[in-house]
Amino acid sequence: MVGLATVFGAGGGTSSYSEVEQTDLIVMWGSNARAAHPIFFHHVLKGVRNGAKLYVVDPRRSETAQWADLWLGLDVGTDIALSNTIAREIIHAGLANRGFIERATSNYEAYAASVEEWTLERGSAVTGVPAGAIRELAHAFATAPTAQLCWTLGITEHHNGVDNVLSLINLALLCGHVGRPNAGLNPLRGQNNVQGGGDMGALPNRLPGFQDVEDDAARAKFDAAWGSVIPSRNGRNLTQMFEAMSEGSLTGLFVVGENPAQSEADVSHAVHLLESLDHLVVQDIFLTKTAELADVVLPGSASWCEAEGTVTNSERRVQRVRKAIDPPGGARDDIAIIVELARAMGHDWPNRSSEDVWNELRSLSPMHRGMTYARLEELGGIQWPCYSEDALEPTFLHGRLWAERPEDRGRLAPFSVVVDEPPVESCTPEFPLRLTTGRRLDSYNTGVQSGGFSSPLRFGETVDVSPEDAASLGVADGEVVRIASPRGAVTAPVRVDPALRPGLVFMTMHFPDEVNTNLLTIDAVDPKSGTAEFKAAAVRIERLEAAVAGD
Amino acid sequence: MDLKISSSVATSGERAAVDAVIGAPAPDEPGALRGGTNLRAVRGGEALRGIRHQLLPVLHSVNDRIGWISRGAINYVAERMDVAPAEVYGVASFYALFSMEPRERRQVHACVDLACRAMGGPREEDLPEGVHPSPCLGACERAPAALVMEAGATVRHELAAPLATGELAALAGGAWPSAESAVASATPQVARGDSTLVLLGRVGRVDPSSLDDYRAHDGYRALARAIEIGPEAVVAEVTASGLVGRGGAAFPTGRKWQAVAGQPAAPHHLVCNADESEPGTFKDRVVLEGDPFSLIEAMTIAAYATGCAHGWIYLRGEYPRALASLERAIAACRGSGLLGDDVLGAGFAFDVTIIRGAGAYICGEETAIFNSIEGYRGEPRNKPPFPVESGLFGKPTVINNVETLVNVPHILLRGGAEWAAQGSEGSKGRKLFCVSGAVREPGVYEVEFGPTLRDLIGLAGGMRDGSELGAVLLGGAAGGFVGPGDLDLPLTMEATRAAGATLGSGVVLVLDRSVDMVDQLRRIAAFFRDESCGQCVPCRVGTVRQEEIVSRLARGTTPGDLALLRDVGRVMRDASICGLGQTANNAIESAIARLGVLQP
Amino acid sequence: MTDTVTGLSVRRAVALTIDGEQVSVAEGSTILDACRSMGKEVPTLCYGDTITPKNACRVCMVEVTGSRVLVPSCSRKVEAGMEVVTRSERVDHSRRMVLELLGSSVDLSLTRNVARWNAEYGAQPDRHGPAAQPGSGRDDAVTGHHEPADGTVASNVHQPVKVDNELYVRDYSKCILCYQCVDACGEQWQNTFAIAVAGRGFDARISTEFDVSLPDSACVYCGNCIQVCPTGALMFSSEHAMRADGTWREEDQSQVTTVCPYCGVGCSLTLHVQDNEIVKVTSPSDHSVTHGNLCIKGRFGFQHVQNRGEPRD
């Protein structure tokens, strides 16, 4: 969200699902949407059936990669190297969209100079991808009349995740694949309302509607509406909060619908910090590991079926969630909990319906203004921005960049000079394997929700290894092994997976109670986004007999 | 795609059979040995899916070489072509010639169909152990017939016809049929030295493997003429000739060509329907075996006239000799510049691919054929859109039957008007009839439209000694029966139509009075029940109900069953997707109505 | 024609006559669309609004002037000046026979409207004979061959129910071969191709490769096949169990549409609720995100809100 906001001023995907069906070329980069975003992938497949070319960039030959016209299996954490190499190839082949660059972008010269060192040879050496494959993707992307570039956590869950995003935005700017129908940038959100949380200002530097906290005029509007003074400085992101806990400057925490005691990288450290807080309040529908640490637990309601409200999806579509069942006894509506808390703090807030709250939001956030509940109902959701109650905006963002008159173009979109940085943790003789993490189709995050149903597809946590590594380690499919990183160790059965190449191993975070993968992952974070480098740790795998003997 | 492949692995022989059709996998393609750059970049998608039309040839290759198609083989095909195993299985299991269960390399298929039955051939229940019942093998002039197939690196097919007494048991025991001359015996007019033959003019007289011999007998003069007058004039000549489709539907060929020639979508395709499967039909086989170059030349002319760059011959799977004959002819034409990038140096490209059917009568339906070529189940498509608009691969397509096409060179050489002067007012030109059954000299007969049924039987030497005419099946299982009282029926389209009969594919199966008509009807009912593709309810269930009712009636008329049969027949005729279902009741109904069979 | 600004297609109107009445509908509409726009009921069985019509059941046939045979209204596009007759002796006969042929060979007990249509069209499936005993060999049928029928019983597709996993039940005795599950699993939506039509003719059946169990197949349990199944041949295990127990009360169920709680795609879920319990999840077929499709999480991942006994450890 940070990367897109930096370049375009709005932290949302620039395109729409329906446009993916109509585009000429789709790049899925660091996204296993087939498993992680299956219904988005339906739209990709419509596009493919309509004749779009599909390129997939992923260290694993994932389910998504198996659909590709060409899969590029780069080394974990070499995305910027690959992107810069593609950029140089496009520039040198004379395929850059000069007209768009001149009209709509800034900082091109510096960018072009920065990628100059990334010859196909060097890019191939750094990423591991054959030069011919890089060249093919570069030329296909640049010559496609329209192209969609989609990414997920394979791009963002790195210590330099924002730079990774910027490097992909650079490619779209270079070829003019943004601000036009059927061309655009699509970050696929991992959770159902990540986009909505950002839209609503659940970011340390934003007010609802992506209005800047440090913008006095914007703040004044909210001050007036809320009868209160909003702090004028940006707040802390999740990582900074944990840092503050570590320093002792943050001693109380209110956690709503998150489970950091299991979801944080280097999780034993995180648990220690949560335990050392003066006061921890958790509002959740489950008694999560985090809730077990809390001083007070507020049982909430499941927002998607026990309460009314809205969520925003990855194509910026605001949709209604509705109450279908009553929450279990004792659990309460989240708005009611907030109101009660306010009253307990001495503010006599009235009882409000979700529509009341929404209408307040509409009065303060111009991009949501046209979205009445009635219209959301009628249209099956509405994509933002929606400024007026009697019109809809185009399905893509930033068409202004193509405007004829300079004054209509607004702020030019800057190219970003981004530098290739390997993952913080390199593989060493002691920890020779690269561990990367991801999701499986039938499970989700730490399994709190998806653990509730029996799936015929589920086989529990495994450590997936290439056939070659399984052979050289002398381990068989199903054999339980010990996986160790510099931070900790877990045991899990081996699953031999031909989607992996030698040196690369894969685990999920879905079964933390059985196998706590985040004991292995590194908490190196991107200072700009606060996202940790879940995608790259160094590990070794030991047979259990050997491990016991070695200990 | 993200295939789920089971642990069954193809044998080296199965891989070789697949690779023989689509080539060995490139190092960066699925199915290649793991290692090197394919750990870093793998190609897939459309590059693999784009060869879906090789699926039927690939399945044939495995079935030919191994004798059956294993799970491992299907897995390898799936990986190589990016098609899910369930989908491959669904396609393979559509065809009767493929087996997905292990079986002996050697298979004997005995015809149990109408002509062979009528001529003393076996019924299903009579077959020796290890012999499979087969629908009509297209060798009716030599009934009864059987086909022996032996899988192996070089697959071997031999036709045994007519079967000698006890021969079937010998074949089942491993014997091979004795060599015989197929062609001469199939064309008695040729044997008699009839010099008026046109469509059969070269059959039995020229060496079917010699392009030179073909050229020495007027071959390729018509193509030269076509190039001389240009595509529009070719279409005009064909239109003027009054030629209509000989597959049974009798659609004007010129109009079809005109429609495709004018379609802006590209490319255009030409499909020759050589899936001759109508019980009692064997004329196309005789032409293909005896005069294969005439079809290639005709297709080249059709392609030139309609702007097709590629032609497809969908050949019946049970016609090994015709396959060999066509393959030789195509190779010779390619070698002489008569097929290829620049045909005759005239600046147009044309080539031909043979696709073998695999045991499915329905694939003779003009849209089922497209699905089959494209590598899908041979289920008919809904029309509209019609093939001239959206046919093979969704492109404008000319589809003509073999007999229709081989008329074309003669039309060009004689001129459309002169050609149209032959025959009757409603049936212009010449026609091939497949005369089989209780006549002295069964075979393919060429006539100028006009002779009556009596004339044709006379041409075939009259009834066999000791035989007395009981009934004649006109047009095959999809056609209808006529009786001894219909002998003066002129065999023209208009006359048969007026009489409530049809010429269909030109079948004239002459049945002796002693032939068990109820048995014939039961066989027809069983045939359609076996050959329905299963797509639409009227045909899928209607053919089953029809067989049940006929079985009941065969034991003695039961109240209401004749009415029920009429109801079933009517819904099949009115509401089936394609001609198979629409005609599946015709012959049975005609036997009841005209001959009184199954009547109280 | 597509408007380049809004991306919305703009369609011309086509005028035709149906049962003597003039009607005008958008170009590209089917005869069925036109009939429905007039409030005219045309029975359909294999038709579903998210799948390209296969026009396999042939119950929706109508007469169109100039056409030799009846025409499937679900897939025939309207043409200017077309004259359509939706009820005539010929049409009714065809519908009656299709209902009889299916009714005598398939268990239509859960297929909506069939009893009413049987009465309306006078269909008597029983007159085709007593039902044959359920068989178990349909998956082993040899293509192009069958045991000759003696006509003493009416052949049918009755067979044992397939239960090989915790989420789905497949009761192919109820299968009318509408192809919708195959198309939903295959190219039209899910592109998993776990199932296909295998065999031919009356022996044609929906099958995995070599009839392997669903867990051994490519099935990913998205439930998109179940959502499109019009006859109850495919059913969620939970519904199947409740029906067996006699506790499934569709008339008491409410349906509420909300958004899936999992990934950020934002799929619309319709929760079918009975006694404050979610008993089934579907997706609206007309929503631009899902078009009626879900993944395993959206389809089955609701249990966590009603596992209300022990807290999760």
Side-chain angles (χ1 to χ4, degrees), chain B residues 168-181:
Chain B
L168 208 46
L171 296 177
W176 286 97
S178 52
E180 35 63 77
S181 162

Side-chain angles (χ1 to χ4, degrees), chain B residues 4-334:
Chain B
K4 179 163 170 180
I5 300 288
S6 74
S7 56
S8 304
V9 176
T11 64
S12 58
E14 288 165 341
R15 286 177 71 105
V18 174
D19 292 353
V21 178
I22 59 173
D28 65 350
E29 281 179 359
L33 207 60
R34 207 177 136 86
T37 56
N38 68 26
L39 299 172
R40 294 292 193 166
V42 176
R43 212 162 277 289
E46 198 48 38
L48 308 182
R49 290 192 295 274
I51 57 167
R52 174 78 185 242
H53 63 278
Q54 299 280 21
L55 184 54
L56 194 51
V58 158
L59 293 172
H60 262 304
S61 184
V62 174
N63 198 61
D64 279 353
R65 185 171 177 132
I66 313 296
W68 65 289
I69 301 168
S70 73
R71 295 180 185 217
I74 281 188
N75 283 348
Y76 184 62
V77 172
E79 275 191 283
R80 291 296 316 280
M81 304 183 72
D82 210 32
V83 181
E87 183 97 345
V88 180
Y89 179 77
V91 172
S93 63
F94 187 82
Y95 298 99
L97 292 183
F98 297 148
S99 172
M100 262 71 69
E101 296 294 330
R103 61 178 179 183
E104 298 294 323
R105 282 178 179 271
R106 194 169 193 282
Q107 297 290 317
V108 181
H109 299 268
C111 177
V112 296
D113 227 321
L114 304 174
C116 286
R117 272 175 121 84
M119 297 305 289
R123 286 164 177 68
E124 291 82 348
E125 57 271 24
D126 306 332
L127 296 175
E129 182 73 20
V131 176
H132 305 287
S134 170
C136 178
L137 289 167
C140 316
E141 83 281 9
R142 285 173 288 159
L147 184 65
V148 186
M149 304 188 189
E150 187 173 274
T154 311
V155 64
R156 187 175 172 195
H157 298 81
E158 296 290 350
L159 187 70
L163 280 171
T165 312
E167 189 176 358
L168 208 46
L171 296 177
W176 286 97
S178 52
E180 35 63 77
S181 162
V183 172
S185 67
T187 49
Q189 289 166 301
V190 174
R192 292 174 203 153
D194 186 338
S195 62
T196 65
L197 298 177
V198 179
L199 302 174
L200 296 176
R202 279 179 291 258
V203 173
R205 292 185 180 135
V206 304
D207 174 359
S209 67
S210 167
L211 178 57
D212 289 340
D213 207 10
Y214 178 68
R215 297 185 97 154
H217 290 79
D218 287 347
Y220 277 104
R221 276 184 51 216
L223 178 61
R225 168 81 182 140
I227 290 167
E228 189 186 315
I229 64 178
E232 293 82 8
V234 173
V235 175
E237 291 292 336
V238 172
T239 305
S241 76
L243 179 65
V244 302
R246 299 288 191 244
F251 190 84
T253 306
R255 248 167 70 196
K256 191 183 276 188
W257 288 20
Q258 181 74 56
V260 170
Q263 290 285 341
H268 297 178
H269 288 281
L270 171 65
V271 176
C272 169
N273 186 347
D275 190 44
E276 180 172 70
S277 312
E278 185 64 51
T281 315
F282 49 98
K283 63 193 170 61
D284 293 346
R285 191 201 87 233
V286 167
V287 171
L288 295 172
E289 289 178 356
D291 190 15
F293 289 103
S294 68
L295 179 68
I296 310 297
E297 182 182 3
M299 287 180 72
T300 309
I301 294 166
Y304 172 73
T306 58
C308 298
H310 207 91
W312 307 78
I313 300 173
Y314 191 92
L315 179 67
R316 190 163 183 214
E318 293 90 337
Y319 278 0
R321 286 183 185 211
L323 175 67
S325 162
L326 278 171
E327 281 175 339
R328 270 196 308 269
I330 289 169
C333 289
R334 284 181 185 145

Side-chain angles (χ1 to χ4, degrees), chain C residues 126-175:
Chain C
D126 292 348
R127 72 182 176 125
H128 294 265
Q133 288 301 306
S136 54
R138 283 189 56 82
D139 292 303
D140 305 319
V142 177
T143 300
H145 300 283
H146 70 282
E147 285 301 314
D150 65 9
T152 54
V153 291
S155 306
N156 57 44
V157 301
H158 297 172
Q159 58 191 298
V161 177
K162 290 185 177 179
V163 183
D164 54 20
N165 69 89
E166 291 176 83
L167 298 179
Y168 291 7
V169 171
R170 295 180 289 155
D171 181 2
Y172 288 125
S173 300
K174 297 192 174 75
C175 177

Side-chain angles (χ1 to χ4, degrees), chain C residues 227-287:
Chain C
Q227 171 144 352
V228 297
C229 179
T231 64
L234 304 178
M235 196 178 277
F236 301 112
S237 302
S238 48
E239 178 179 340
H240 196 263
M242 287 177 77
R243 284 181 183 274
D245 293 347
T247 55
W248 181 263
R249 302 190 315 275
E250 213 151 280
E251 63 285 4
D252 293 341
Q253 293 169 10
S254 63
Q255 295 186 18
V256 176
T257 296
T258 185
V259 177
C260 178
Y262 289 93
C263 78
V265 174
C267 297
S268 289
L269 306 182
T270 299
L271 307 178
H272 300 238
V273 176
Q274 179 180 319
D275 301 332
N276 203 41
E277 291 277 332
I278 301 168
V279 293
K280 179 158 84 173
V281 176
T282 58
S283 183
S285 58
D286 58 352
H287 197 278

Side-chain angles (χ1 to χ4, degrees), chain B residues 1-2 4 6 69-71 74 84-87 89-91 93-96 100-101 132-134 359-362 376-377 379 382-384 522 525-527 529-538 540-542 544-545 547-549 551-552 555 561 563-564 566-568 570-571 573-577 582, chain C residues 54-58 61 68-70 72 75-76 79 89-90 93-94 96-98 100-102 104-105 127-128 139 143-156 175-177 179 187 191-205 207-212 214-218:
Chain B
M1 58 179 286
D2 48 343
K4 179 163 170 180
S6 74
I69 301 168
S70 73
R71 295 180 185 217
I74 281 188
E87 183 97 345
Y89 179 77
V91 172
S93 63
F94 187 82
Y95 298 99
M100 262 71 69
E101 296 294 330
H132 305 287
S134 170
Y361 169 75
I362 187 59
Y376 295 87
R377 293 165 55 80
E379 294 169 352
N382 204 44
K383 290 182 276 192
R522 290 190 67 173
F527 172 80
R529 192 268 187 222
D530 275 339
E531 299 297 338
S532 167
C533 80
Q535 195 179 202
C536 69
V537 170
R540 179 176 78 235
V541 188
V544 170
R545 294 287 174 261
E547 186 189 27
E548 290 166 355
I549 299 166
S551 293
R552 284 199 295 272
R555 286 197 300 272
D561 267 338
L564 191 60
R566 270 196 302 277
D567 278 343
V568 169
R570 186 175 175 202
V571 71
R573 188 172 303 115
D574 274 353
S576 295
I577 291 177
Q582 290 164 12
Chain C
K54 188 76 182 171
N55 56 79
C57 77
R58 318 298 279 185
M61 307 301 277
R68 180 176 53 86
V69 289
L70 299 177
S75 53
R76 175 64 72 84
E79 292 161 27
E89 190 276 332
R90 191 178 178 204
H93 178 271
S94 177
R96 168 163 65 94
M97 289 310 295
V98 165
E100 283 188 6
L101 293 176
L102 275 179
S104 60
S105 58
R127 72 182 176 125
H128 294 265
D139 292 303
T143 300
H145 300 283
H146 70 282
E147 285 301 314
D150 65 9
T152 54
V153 291
S155 306
N156 57 44
C175 177
I176 60 167
L177 273 186
Y179 289 63
E187 190 163 323
N191 283 278
T192 290
F193 299 95
I195 45 173
V197 181
R200 197 168 76 193
F202 192 69
D203 303 319
R205 60 210 176 260
S207 180
T208 59
E209 64 273 20
F210 297 95
D211 186 38
V212 299
L214 280 191
D216 284 336
S217 79

